[in-house]
Amino acid sequence: MLDKTFRPQEAEAPIYEGWRKSGAFRADVRSGADPYTIMMPPPNVTGSLHIGHALTFTIQDALIRYRRMTGRDTLWQPGTDHAGIATQMVVERQLAEQGITRNDVGRDGLIDRIWTWKEQSGGRILDQLTRLGASADWPRERFTMDPAFSAAVRKVFVTLYKQKLIYRDKRLVNWDPKLKTAISDLEVEPKEVKGHYWHLRYPLADGSGRHIVVATTRPETMLGDTAVAVHPDDERYADLVGKEILLPLTGRRIPIVADTYSDPEKGSGAVKITPAHDFNDFEVGRRHGLDMINVLDADARIVDEPVIPAAYRGLDRFKARERIVADLEAAGLLEGIEPVTHTVPYGDRSGVVIEPWLTDQWYVDAPKLAIPAVEAVETGKTVFVPKQWENTYFEWMRNIQPWCVSRQIWWGHRVPAWYGPDGTVFVEETETEAKAAAAAHYGETVDLTQDSDVLDTWFSSALWPFGTLGWPEQTAELARYYPGDVLVTGFDIIFFWVARMMMMGLHFMGDVPFRTVYIHALVRDEKGQKMSKSKGNVIDPIDLIDKYGADAVRFTLLALAAQGRDVKLAEARVAGYRNFSTKLWNAARFAEMNGAESVEGFDPTSVSHVLNRWIVGEAARATRAVTEAMEAFRFNEAAQAAYRFTWDIVCDWYLELAKPILQGGETAALAETRATLAWVLDQILLLLHPMMPFMTEQLWETRPGSRAPAQAITGAWPVLDPATLADPAADAEIGWLIEAVSAVRSVRSELNVPPAAKVPVLFRDASEATRSRAATHGDALARLARAERIEFVDGEVAGTVETIVNGEVVLLPIADVIDAAVEIKRLEGEITKLDRDIAGIDKRLDNPAFVAKAPEEVVEENRERRAQAVADREALSKALARVQAMRRD
């Protein structure tokens, strides 16, 4: 006997352990089955499950469970990323608590401590994924610093280097002066801050007394200016192009160059060019062959170099800014100061201002590797869902810059490059190979020094689709599971991860790493705002699982995961879908208490009762809807179709209509209805299993009757054809009954008819078909519509309101049940209030300033409120018309 309630807090862990022990998650167990592969985006080893993770992993698990049930040999490859900077910072903070730094313990000592921490605390997020129900093939778990994976990383680096696709160059990078390393664009957090434009006078070097005014938010960088640029079509400066400026405070002479980067409409139309400290200026500098002068060191202090005036050497960048501005003002070269709000780059981990900094780094020739990666999407070898994300991919890839892959930290894959006494570089997979290459080069054995940098985390994770399968060894797993079928990820790493996997997969495997890229949206709070700790609106998925169970959390996320729309998550929605799971549990208990047991081999085409013929057809239509939605990655539609069939069709109608049969004594209809009800519940459990795995598994294993296999997780996905199973005659019969009950209920609700009041249902001028159906289903109609009786009348009947059922008029005599005058006043008042609300919203939405300046989520919320208000007003207006029509009779 099923328990009265399903208690997820007690049931989920044993259910999960049962799956694991049975080997249900394993790949390569179905002989002859077509493979289906999803590579788990490896979460950072430092991470914990947040709501964005919950969405992406729920989607992946739903896909894997669905494909497993359709008979595919599924591999969901799990693992974690070593997360270079993030992980090193965790351990360095631990050292700081002991009053020591990484320099105190040395490189090897720090790495040893990081490995110890990783073994003790790393990978916590994978443990949390089990709470979510993730059915990954855990024995295959990989880590991006595993020895085999590290060997693959070195192989790729060396191969690309020898193909001249990796090289060392001096270029600008995002430099974090606190962490003292280059960082990726993804690790840069742009912030709007209040600052100033300093307008500076740069005198011409010809002694004419003329000057050009330039503006900057970073006056300290003027020490590294090597030109002033003006637009080639700007007539104001046509006679100055080719002349020189005497750079203030330094005495250096720098040229005036013509370049389209300068905007004649902005400011003075002239811009200072500092190639070593601005990405745009760097490109201008390369076009014109300008000197590139670094004015900052790794700590963001002014360098101690002869090119810098002695007064500023060694100063912190912001202290130097103050002194330079003061000195320019004293020299009469400060034209003015303008307050401005502008975007400043900050390190997302260090919290300090990031500097564009000129430094020697290792680069991948991404522009060359991007060519086949672009072509693969253009030709459809890989498709994006939703398709519009292909435009984002193309925009990034067609404008891609060389990829800086070196980082100045200690934790990570060390660059496999060694330097000889004269600086000659030897790039090999091992030190032994490097020494052999050096000996051949020098003609003798020499001491080598390995490059101290490590590789960007994205470099190693770019190899995830094939490095986890044993490459460069040609393993059976690699041959079977590459390329993958689907990658599920967020839009924010299309460039940082998706694009780089495409480049590496095509280059080293000769094929794309995945056939489909499904891009899910952001999870926001219920008002549409982005979640952040500062706003206090962060939702912890583990807290939700503790409170409502994993099934409710998973189903909520899937039900809200409409393509191209952000997920607006409210705890109330999770509570609502917990109620849905309760509804399913209660339906299973009802079936059990009424003797409905699963019959293995049940043939849905054999049922004869009209009610059972109807529900079999509904099951087939629901199966088709869920299947089509899953195939199209429309998870919200799959959830809605399963929800509608379970709650609206089965629980609200089929169970209610079946009660007289189930409780009416031993008949042929009783046996058939019991078997049909059990079969219908089995189909529901299978359809819902990818979305709500825990409860469906519990019910599958414990409900009475015989069903195979023993576990829902390895059950066969329903294959039900509506063309075969749907019965138009049964659909028409039961459809008429449902429409009649719904119409009566709707009128009663709109007009505040007391629930206990029984009102006759009168069919006016009814057709023979309606009379026949009413005769057949009259008892059910009266019971479910709270009707005193069912009658047939000709012509108008005073004191009634009317509604339409299947094109025919149904009258409800409610004059003696409600006070028409009171109802009219109530409805008119509610309509007036809605009119005011709609007018207020329209005033806001018609205001261009509101639409332009208000946060997008606020504008969208107003549009949704208006749509709901208009729908409510329309329903109230229909109800008012009904009462007014009744009153005139």
Side-chain angles (χ1 to χ4, degrees), residues 555 580 618 622 639-651:
F555 197 86
F580 170 57
E618 288 289 349
Q640 290 159 7
Y643 180 99
R644 177 182 176 274
F645 178 61
T646 303
W647 191 307
D648 299 346
I649 302 299
V650 174
C651 294

Side-chain angles (χ1 to χ4, degrees), residues 122-134:
R124 180 165 64 104
I125 189 172
L126 297 186
D127 294 332
Q128 291 177 325
L129 283 178
T130 66
R131 295 288 311 279
L132 195 65

Side-chain angles (χ1 to χ4, degrees), residues 43-48 79-82 87 90-91 94 113-128 141 143 411:
N44 287 353
V45 72
T46 60
S48 61
T80 51
D81 191 282
H82 64 280
T87 304
V90 168
V91 176
Q94 294 174 350
R113 289 173 184 248
I114 293 175
W115 276 110
T116 299
W117 174 86
K118 189 266 179 185
E119 295 304 318
Q120 294 173 348
S121 306
R124 180 165 64 104
I125 189 172
L126 297 186
D127 294 332
Q128 291 177 325
E141 180 186 335
F143 179 50
W411 171 245

Side-chain angles (χ1 to χ4, degrees), residues 149-182:
F149 199 89
S150 294
V153 171
R154 292 192 298 273
K155 177 79 171 179
V156 165
F157 188 97
V158 173
T159 300
L160 291 175
Y161 177 80
K162 294 185 176 181
Q163 294 172 343
K164 302 189 184 307
L165 293 172
I166 278 184
Y167 55 91
R168 194 156 174 81
D169 194 11
K170 185 182 288 289
R171 296 176 61 92
L172 283 188
V173 296
N174 298 307
W175 184 261
D176 189 315
K178 181 178 180 179
L179 300 179
K180 295 183 180 59
T181 182

